[in-house]
C-alpha cells in the first residue's frame, strides 16, 4: 500500500465529499418536508464573521430600527413623568397608561415633536400594554373635527378613532398582542396592537378665537386614558387647564428636535425593541441576521465597536439628510413630494425612517394626506429674505368640510416666535380680510406687510423655511375626500398636483395654478411681486 504523507492527506480532505450512490436514478429529488424543517432559521452563530459584514448589517439595522428606537426612548421619557402635567409648561406629559392634554395651541418653544400644527389642541399618552390594557375615553365632539392617532412602536396605526370613521362617544379598549382577558361590559370596541408600546395623540380642531378657546374646554374635558382596572363605566372629567408644570427628563434647549436615537447606545437598546416588535411576515431572516451579529458583539467587544462606529456614520450619511422634505418621498411636479402610506408603513423601511426623522407621528392616509415643499417654483430654497404672496380667487379657497391651513416652519421644522404668535393661517382664522374682488391673499414674509394687511400675514423666519399647508374635507357617505368642480370622489389626486408656475406679466407678476383633484378644477392666483422673486407651493392634507 502506498504511504500517504500527512500533508497530502490534509490536501486530499479539502476536496472530499461523501455522496451516497443513487444507482441509475438521475432525476433531481425534492427536499422532504422534514429536511426543510431541519434547515436553520438564520445564520449559524458559531461562524466567524468579518468586520465588513458586521458593518453592513449594522448600517442596515440602524436605518431599519431608527423609528422604533425613537419611540422606545420617548416611552422611557414618559415613564419618568411623576404625574399628568405639562412638560416645561408647554407639552402634554404623563406617566405611561395615562393621558395629558393641552387646552390651547401648542407653543413654539417645544422641541420634542417636529412639524406641529396650530389648528388643534393636542393630547399625548404612551401605553405600556404589557402592564395593562388601557381605556381611551371619547366624548361627544359634535360637529367639531377630531381624531385620535393610535400607533404602535413601528409608528403604524392600529386603531381607527375619529370623526372620519364615524366614531361614536364611548370607551375604546387598547390591548397588547398577547392579552387574553375578559372585556368588561360598557366597552364600545377593542383594538389589538402588534406591539406592547403604543402612542396615543388626540387632535381636536379649534378656531383661533377667544370664544372657541372657551367652548373647547368642556369638549376636551372628556378626553382621557387610563388602565383597565380604573374603568367603571362612567366618563371621567378632567380640567386640562389646571395641569401642573413638570420638568423635562431630556436635555432641551436646542434649535433642532431633541435627540431620541443615539448611535452609542442604539445596539444596546435594539434587543429590547425587537422583543417588543416581533418580525412582520417576511422580516424573519432580517431579524435573525441582526440578532446573530448582536450575539457576536456580546462575545467580542471589537464587533460592538465597529457597529457603533457604523451607526454614527449612518446617522450622518443616511438619517440626517432625511430631515429635509426635498430629499425623499413620491416626487411630484414643481418640487413637491408626498407619501401614500403614512402610519401604514409595514416593510417600507425607508419611508418610515424618513417620516420619523422629519415629522414623526403623522396620521394615517384615511385621516391626513401630506404634501411637502422646501423649494420655490425655480427650485430655490424657500427663504425669509424673499417676500411671498399666495392669493386665492373669489370662492376658490380650499373647499372643505373640515379645515385647511397654511403653516410655516423653520429649517428644523419648528415654529419660530414672532410678534403675532402666528404660525399658520386658514379655516381657524376668522379675521382674514378678503380683497375687494372677493379673493384672499396671504402674505408670507419676515416683516409686516402693513397694519391693513396684518390679519393675513404669515410671519416667516429670516432664514430658510418650509411651507406646507393643509386641506381637510369630509363627505358623510364616502369618507374623507377632496371635493372639486370636477366631481372626484377619490382620495387620490390627479395630475398635476398643486402647481407653481411663474408667468411673466409686465415683468412683475407670477401665476400660481393649483389642481387639487381633477384637471377641470383649476385655481389661479396672481402675485404682484418684485421681479426675480418667486412663490412658495401649496400642500394638501386630507
Amino acid at each position: 500500500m502506498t504511504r500517504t504523507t500527512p500533508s497530502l492527506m490534509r490536501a486530499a480532505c479539502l476536496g472530499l465529499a461523501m455522496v451516497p450512490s443513487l444507482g441509475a436514478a438521475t432525476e433531481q429529488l425534492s427536499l422532504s418536508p422534514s429536511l426543510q424543517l431541519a434547515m436553520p432559521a438564520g445564520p449559524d452563530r458559531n461562524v466567524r464573521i468579518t468586520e465588513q459584514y458586521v458593518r453592513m448589517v449594522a448600517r442596515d439595522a440602524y436605518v431599519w430600527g431608527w423609528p422604533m428606537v425613537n419611540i422606545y426612548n420617548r416611552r422611557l421619557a414618559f415613564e419618568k413623568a411623576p404625574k399628568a402635567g405639562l412638560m416645561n409648561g408647554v407639552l402634554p406629559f404623563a406617566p405611561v397608561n395615562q393621558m395629558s392634554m393641552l387646552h390651547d395651541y401648542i407653543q413654539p418653544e417645544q422641541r420634542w415633536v417636529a412639524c406641529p400644527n396650530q389648528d388643534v389642541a393636542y393630547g399625548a399618552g404612551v401605553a405600556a400594554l404589557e402592564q395593562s390594557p388601557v381605556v381611551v375615553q371619547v366624548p361627544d365632539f359634535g360637529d367639531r373635527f377630531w381624531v385620535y392617532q393610535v400607533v404602535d412602536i413601528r409608528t403604524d396605526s392600529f386603531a381607527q378613532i375619529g370623526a372620519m370613521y364615524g366614531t361614536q362617544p364611548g370607551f375604546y379598549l387598547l390591548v397588547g398582542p398577547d392579552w387574553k382577558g375578559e372585556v368588561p361590559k360598557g366597552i364600545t370596541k377593542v383594538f389589538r396592537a402588534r406591539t406592547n408600546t403604543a402612542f396615543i395623540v388626540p387632535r381636536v380642531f379649534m378656531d383661533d378665537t377667544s370664544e372657541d378657546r372657551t367652548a373647547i374646554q368642556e369638549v376636551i374635558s372628556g378626553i382621557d386614558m387610563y388602565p383597565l382596572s380604573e374603568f367603571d363605566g362612567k366618563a371621567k372629567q378632567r380640567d386640562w387647564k389646571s395641569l401642573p408644570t413638570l420638568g423635562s427628563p431630556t436635555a432641551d434647549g436646542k434649535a433642532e428636535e431633541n435627540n431620541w436615537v443615539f448611535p452609542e447606545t442604539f445596539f444596546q437598546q435594539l434587543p429590547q425593541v425587537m422583543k417588543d416588535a416581533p418580525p412582520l411576515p417576511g422580516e424573519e431572516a432580517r431579524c435573525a441576521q441582526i440578532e446573530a451579529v448582536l450575539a457576536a458583539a456580546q462575545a467580542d467587544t471589537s464587533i460592538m465597536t465597529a457597529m457603533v462606529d457604523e451607526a454614527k456614520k449612518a446617522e450622518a450619511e443616511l438619517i440626517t439628510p432625511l430631515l429635509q422634505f426635498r430629499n425623499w418621498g413620491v416626487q411630484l411636479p414643481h418640487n413637491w413630494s408626498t407619501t401614500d402610506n403614512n402610519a401604514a408603513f409595514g416593510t417600507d423601511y425607508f419611508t418610515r425612517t424618513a417620516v420619523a426623522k422629519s415629522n414623526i407621528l403623522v396620521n394615517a392616509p384615511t385621516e391626513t394626506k401630506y404634501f411637502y415643499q422646501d423649494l420655490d417654483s425655480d427650485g430655490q430654497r424657500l427663504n425669509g429674505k424673499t417676500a411671498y404672496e399666495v392669493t386665492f380667487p373669489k370662492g376658490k379657497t380650499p373647499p372643505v368640510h373640515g379645515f385647511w391651513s397654511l403653516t410655516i416652519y423653520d429649517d428644523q421644522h419648528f415654529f419660530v416666535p414672532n410678534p403675532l404668535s402666528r404660525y399658520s393661517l386658514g379655516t381657524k382664522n376668522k379675521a382674514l380680510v378678503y380683497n375687494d374682488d372677493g379673493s384672499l391673499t396671504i402674505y408670507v414674509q419676515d416683516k409686516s406687510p402693513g397694519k391693513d394687511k396684518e390679519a393675513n400675514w404669515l410671519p416667516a423666519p429670516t432664514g430658510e423655511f418650509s411651507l406646507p399647508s393643509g386641506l381637510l374635507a369630509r363627505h358623510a357617505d364616502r369618507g374623507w375626500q377632496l371635493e372639486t368642480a370636477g366631481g372626484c370622489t377619490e382620495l387620490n389626486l390627479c395630475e398635476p398636483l398643486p402647481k407653481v408656475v411663474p408667468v411673466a406679466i409686465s415683468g412683475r407678476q407670477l401665476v400660481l395654478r393649483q389642481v387639487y383633484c381633477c384637471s377641470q378644477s383649476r385655481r389661479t392666483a396672481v402675485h404682484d411681486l418684485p421681479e426675480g422673486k418667486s412663490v412658495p407651493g401649496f400642500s394638501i392634507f386630507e
Side-chain angles (χ1 to χ4, degrees):
M1 182 175 71
T2 304
R3 182 180 179 183
T4 303
T5 64
S7 61
L8 289 175
M9 183 175 292
R10 286 195 298 272
C13 286
L14 293 175
L16 181 64
M18 301 300 294
V19 181
S21 174
L22 296 179
T26 58
E27 69 273 13
Q28 186 175 359
L29 297 179
S30 61
L31 295 175
S32 67
S34 59
L35 181 58
Q36 289 177 319
L37 291 174
M39 289 185 175
D44 185 345
R45 298 191 181 189
N46 295 316
V47 172
R48 181 176 181 176
I49 55 180
T50 65
E51 180 179 325
Q52 290 78 8
Y53 175 77
V54 167
R55 289 180 176 274
M56 178 196 73
V57 174
R59 194 175 183 89
D60 180 72
Y62 192 79
V63 175
W64 170 77
W66 199 95
M68 294 187 289
V69 172
N70 186 305
I71 293 294
Y72 174 75
N73 280 320
R74 291 176 190 267
R75 170 179 166 165
L76 293 182
F78 272 69
E79 288 178 353
K80 296 178 181 178
K83 55 187 174 181
L86 297 179
M87 191 271 293
N88 291 340
V90 297
L91 272 178
F93 190 44
V96 295
N97 295 338
Q98 296 184 39
M99 176 74 71
S100 181
M101 188 81 197
L102 296 179
H103 66 275
D104 202 339
Y105 297 139
I106 198 166
Q107 296 300 306
E109 292 83 6
Q110 73 88 20
R111 290 296 181 272
W112 270 37
V113 182
C115 290
N117 74 52
Q118 198 192 29
D119 302 283
V120 302
Y122 282 103
V126 172
L129 298 176
E130 80 282 0
Q131 297 180 14
S132 167
V134 295
V135 175
V136 174
Q137 194 171 280
V138 175
D140 186 352
F141 290 95
D143 294 331
R144 189 182 296 269
F145 167 80
W146 67 279
V147 64
Y148 288 20
Q149 181 181 29
V150 184
V151 297
D152 61 20
I153 199 171
R154 292 186 175 91
T155 66
D156 283 338
S157 177
F158 68 91
Q160 295 72 47
I161 304 175
M164 66 289 297
Y165 302 114
T167 303
Q168 297 300 306
F171 304 97
Y172 294 82
L173 188 66
L174 309 182
V175 304
D178 302 318
W179 187 75
K180 297 180 176 64
E182 182 178 349
V183 179
K185 183 179 179 180
I187 292 296
T188 309
K189 190 172 184 178
V190 179
F191 294 99
R192 185 177 296 275
R194 285 179 171 176
T195 70
N196 281 311
T197 299
F199 227 107
I200 299 88
V201 183
R203 293 170 168 88
V204 184
F205 177 75
M206 182 178 70
D207 284 331
D208 190 11
T209 64
S210 58
E211 293 80 7
D212 207 34
R213 280 179 170 80
T214 299
I216 199 176
Q217 303 310 314
E218 182 178 357
V219 175
I220 64 175
S221 68
I223 297 174
D224 208 351
M225 181 177 80
Y226 40 84
L228 179 58
S229 60
E230 298 180 15
F231 175 67
D232 59 6
K234 300 177 181 178
K236 306 181 190 309
Q237 297 293 311
R238 301 289 296 270
D239 179 10
W240 296 116
K241 294 182 70 173
S242 63
L243 288 176
T245 294
L246 304 175
S248 173
T250 63
D252 301 333
K254 299 183 298 182
E256 65 271 16
E257 186 178 53
N258 285 9
N259 289 339
W260 296 105
V261 181
F262 306 91
E264 297 82 2
T265 59
F266 180 88
F267 291 109
Q268 297 172 25
Q269 295 181 317
L270 189 58
Q272 184 63 34
V273 170
M274 294 176 68
K275 182 180 178 181
D276 190 14
L280 296 174
E283 283 190 327
E284 294 86 356
R286 172 188 291 270
C287 293
Q289 184 183 52
I290 295 171
E291 289 169 347
V293 174
L294 288 171
Q298 290 181 345
D300 187 343
T301 57
S302 67
I303 292 179
M304 180 58 75
T305 299
M307 294 175 74
V308 171
D309 180 64
E310 199 60 38
K312 292 178 180 178
K313 292 179 180 178
E315 179 70 32
E317 299 168 5
L318 294 174
I319 303 298
T320 298
L322 299 178
L323 175 65
Q324 305 305 326
F325 295 131
R326 61 188 179 277
N327 291 334
W328 55 274
V330 178
Q331 297 303 296
L332 303 171
H334 316 296
N335 306 310
W336 285 96
S337 64
T338 189
T339 48
D340 298 326
N341 57 347
N342 288 332
F345 301 109
T347 55
D348 183 356
Y349 310 126
F350 178 78
T351 302
R352 180 176 66 180
T353 301
V355 170
K357 176 61 179 176
S358 62
N359 60 330
I360 199 168
L361 298 177
V362 294
N363 291 107
T366 49
E367 300 161 359
T368 305
K369 179 67 176 179
Y370 298 86
F371 291 86
Y372 307 112
Q373 182 62 283
D374 287 337
L375 310 173
D376 66 19
S377 55
D378 297 323
Q380 299 301 307
R381 189 71 170 90
L382 297 175
N383 195 294
K385 295 178 181 178
T386 299
Y388 304 96
E389 294 181 2
V390 179
T391 299
F392 299 95
K394 181 180 179 180
K396 300 300 183 181
T397 54
V400 297
H401 290 221
F403 70 86
W404 67 272
S405 67
L406 187 70
T407 306
I408 193 163
Y409 304 114
D410 65 10
D411 60 350
Q412 297 297 318
H413 299 173
F414 289 100
F415 298 150
V416 176
N418 61 69
L420 302 183
S421 296
R422 180 185 295 163
Y423 312 103
S424 69
L425 285 173
T427 302
K428 71 177 189 299
N429 301 101
K430 303 307 180 184
L432 289 173
V433 177
Y434 286 75
N435 301 319
D436 292 340
D437 63 357
S439 63
L440 174 66
T441 299
I442 295 176
Y443 304 93
V444 184
Q445 54 195 71
D446 64 339
K447 293 182 175 57
S448 172
K451 285 293 183 181
D452 59 328
K453 298 177 180 178
E454 278 194 355
N456 296 17
W457 176 33
L458 185 56
T462 55
E464 295 179 346
F465 65 88
S466 297
L467 190 65
S469 66
L471 173 61
L472 280 155
R474 181 186 180 205
H475 190 284
D477 299 323
R478 293 190 296 271
W480 291 74
Q481 65 181 46
L482 291 170
E483 297 183 353
T484 70
C488 272
T489 60
E490 302 293 333
L491 282 171
N492 297 326
L493 300 181
C494 307
E495 176 75 18
L497 271 160
K499 190 176 181 182
V500 182
V501 181
V503 179
I505 302 177
S506 302
R508 295 182 62 81
Q509 293 182 325
L510 298 174
V511 174
L512 173 65
R513 292 187 177 88
Q514 300 164 348
V515 180
Y516 295 114
C517 188
C518 296
S519 59
Q520 299 97 319
S521 177
R522 186 176 299 275
R523 285 93 166 102
T524 303
V526 178
H527 305 271
D528 287 305
L529 295 177
E531 186 173 1
K533 295 195 174 183
S534 46
V535 181
F538 182 71
S539 65
I540 298 175
F541 294 62
E542 295 164 5

